[in-house]
Amino acid sequence: MKDETREPEVPTRDTAGYDGAEDQAREHGPRPGPADAGEFRRSPETVAGAGEVRPGSEDADGSGAAPVLPELDAEELHDRWQRAVAETENQRKRYERRLEEVRLAERDRVSEAWLPVVDHLELALQHAAADPEAIIAGVEGVCRQAYAVLARLGYQRIAAVGEPFDPALHDAAQVRQEPQAAPGTVVQVLRAGYGSDRGLLRPATVVVQAGPDEREARS
């Protein structure tokens, strides 16, 4: 007697067009589509833990999502406030001490630069009974030394004759006529001025050559 039991036949498929999608769909359900493949679905707990706002959560006035702030008690807040105030006060005192130290150091530096000038002036006074020409030469040397000190401190001398009058650098004390002088130029410096890269320390007091209109008025 022959065994009538036969294994079910497996339908054949073209291997070139078979990818197993139908069998996977029967065993595991439909495969996710392109829209589902890249989407990561998170639970509401995960969303809330990541800092996002759950749908439906709003402020009391309904304007938007309510921010989640850390809970701090009054004692901790008061302690933080006291620490901030103390640190600010200490920083202010440190800056004040530092500014005072810088100011005193700069004053010492300027005074030290002027000490040689004072020394030479004292020597000139000690030899006041000497030859007048030697005294004059000594005073001129001290004057040049004083100019050099001011230059080292960053202040340039403004005392040039023949330059055009500049109201930003000169203060005209007098206007007069000088032969061979161009109108509107400095013909005499009564008091030298000084300036630096930060600005003018003192304008030069000068005498200015009269212009053509002033010459005609005087004549």
Side-chain angles (χ1 to χ4, degrees), residues 166-199:
D166 187 353
L169 301 176
H170 305 125
D171 184 11
Q174 185 180 356
V175 177
R176 71 184 182 200
Q177 295 182 9
E178 290 288 340
Q180 307 300 325
T185 58
V186 176
V187 295
Q188 183 181 357
V189 177
L190 302 179
R191 188 182 66 176
Y194 292 91
S196 67
D197 54 355
R198 297 182 57 189

Side-chain angles (χ1 to χ4, degrees), residues 23-101:
D23 294 342
Q24 292 181 8
R26 283 195 296 269
E27 294 181 11
H28 306 289
R31 297 172 62 184
D36 299 331
E39 181 179 358
F40 175 65
R41 300 183 181 277
R42 294 177 291 180
S43 62
E45 292 77 11
T46 305
V47 175
E52 297 183 3
V53 181
R54 300 183 183 180
S57 61
E58 297 181 350
D59 289 332
D61 57 354
S63 58
V68 179
L69 300 177
E71 295 183 359
L72 299 175
D73 55 10
E75 183 177 357
E76 185 175 358
L77 289 174
H78 183 69
D79 181 67
R80 290 189 178 186
W81 172 77
Q82 285 184 328
R83 289 175 182 270
V85 171
E87 179 62 24
T88 303
E89 183 65 18
N90 292 335
Q91 188 76 0
R92 183 186 65 81
K93 292 180 180 179
R94 284 194 294 269
Y95 280 138
E96 288 182 353
R97 289 195 298 269
R98 179 57 181 164
L99 289 175
E100 182 65 15
E101 291 174 358

Side-chain angles (χ1 to χ4, degrees), residues 6-15 18 22-23 26-27:
R6 293 186 303 174
E7 295 180 0
E9 295 181 359
V10 179
T12 61
R13 294 180 175 87
D14 185 5
T15 57
Y18 173 71
E22 296 180 0
D23 294 342
R26 283 195 296 269
E27 294 181 11

